[in-house]
Amino acid sequence: KQNATRAATLVRQLLAFSRRQTLRPQVLDLGDALSDLTMLLRRLIGEKVKLDLVHGRDLWPVKVDVSQFEQVIVNLAVNARDAMPDGGKLTVRTVNVTSEESGHLAYKGMPAADYVRIDITDTGTGIPADIVDKIFEPFFSTKEVGKGTGLGLSTVYGIVKQTGGFIYVDSEAGRGTSFYIFLPRHHPEQEVQPDA
């Protein structure tokens, strides 16, 4: 049974990576969604890691598949925990980013638009500069054999991309890591047209 569950999870992760997963997107307030996850995250990261949730004010709605979004946050939180074996701090911050602000960010491949940004920052060991570009590749893992599939971050990447969003990482060895997820702002008025 355990193997069957593992296989199902693996298939789901591969589908997510290749962006062929069936998503059930719904309009969501990220602040509420993250608050709902708080208890689970605290249990996952353990007592040595302090969890700090900082919600932006009046967050715009986004349209995401809730369970997929939760998987993204959980995967990143577990990685952060593993990077802080002696404890530390995990900060999850949400903020609106206007089209003008995103235009100034100069992230590769991201058009200027309104986004809700989720920052997930740890005070862990950081990612060495020579591998930071590879972390979203499937089966790439820095964990010892048997500890990880190397699909956690590629799954995260696939889900964010399939949702129309963008994810970037900023890390310094010994200083910790930050992941920045940009999800497009949802405009309810664009949904009114009847299905053609």
Side-chain angles (χ1 to χ4, degrees):
K1 191 173 170 196
Q2 199 177 9
N3 280 345
T5 309
R6 239 189 237 137
T9 306
L10 195 63
V11 167
R12 227 182 17 250
Q13 289 179 321
L14 286 168
L15 284 169
F17 178 73
S18 62
R19 302 178 217 158
R20 285 191 172 59
Q21 207 153 8
T22 314
L23 296 185
R24 293 180 191 80
Q26 61 191 79
V27 179
L28 203 63
D29 177 304
L30 283 185
D32 293 347
L34 287 167
S35 296
D36 291 346
L37 264 182
T38 307
M39 291 291 287
L40 171 65
L41 289 179
R42 285 215 161 92
R43 275 207 300 274
L44 279 173
I45 61 179
E47 287 170 7
K48 286 198 283 190
V49 177
K50 180 180 183 295
L51 177 65
D52 198 9
L53 272 175
V54 187
H55 290 312
R57 298 185 51 179
D58 304 322
L59 283 181
W60 293 322
V62 292
K63 196 168 187 184
V64 295
D65 179 309
V66 180
S67 61
Q68 296 295 329
F69 171 73
E70 288 175 349
Q71 194 184 341
V72 164
I73 302 301
V74 164
N75 280 5
L76 291 174
V78 167
N79 277 0
R81 175 200 68 196
D82 293 348
M84 299 184 280
D86 303 323
K89 186 171 162 190
L90 175 65
T91 307
V92 180
R93 181 180 277 110
T94 53
V95 64
N96 288 336
V97 178
T98 64
S99 180
E100 192 182 351
E101 288 167 335
S102 66
H104 291 311
L105 287 172
Y107 278 124
K108 210 168 69 185
M110 189 174 85
D114 288 345
Y115 297 96
V116 179
R117 192 181 81 206
I118 307 147
D119 304 346
I120 296 174
T121 302
D122 67 54
T123 56
T125 49
I127 303 167
D130 57 331
I131 63 168
V132 81
D133 292 338
K134 297 193 184 99
I135 59 166
F136 293 122
E137 291 175 9
F139 306 114
F140 179 80
S141 180
T142 54
K143 295 178 183 174
E144 57 202 78
V145 175
K147 276 281 165 45
T149 57
L151 282 171
L153 283 176
S154 61
T155 302
V156 163
Y157 182 84
I159 292 169
V160 171
K161 283 293 183 189
Q162 204 176 349
T163 306
F166 298 88
I167 181 166
Y168 300 96
V169 63
D170 182 21
S171 185
E172 202 178 321
R175 288 265 177 114
T177 302
S178 291
F179 284 93
Y180 305 110
I181 298 170
F182 292 84
L183 295 176
R185 176 184 184 177
H186 173 67
H187 297 281
E189 66 276 8
Q190 291 172 359
E191 289 231 317
V192 186
Q193 308 108 332
D195 289 340

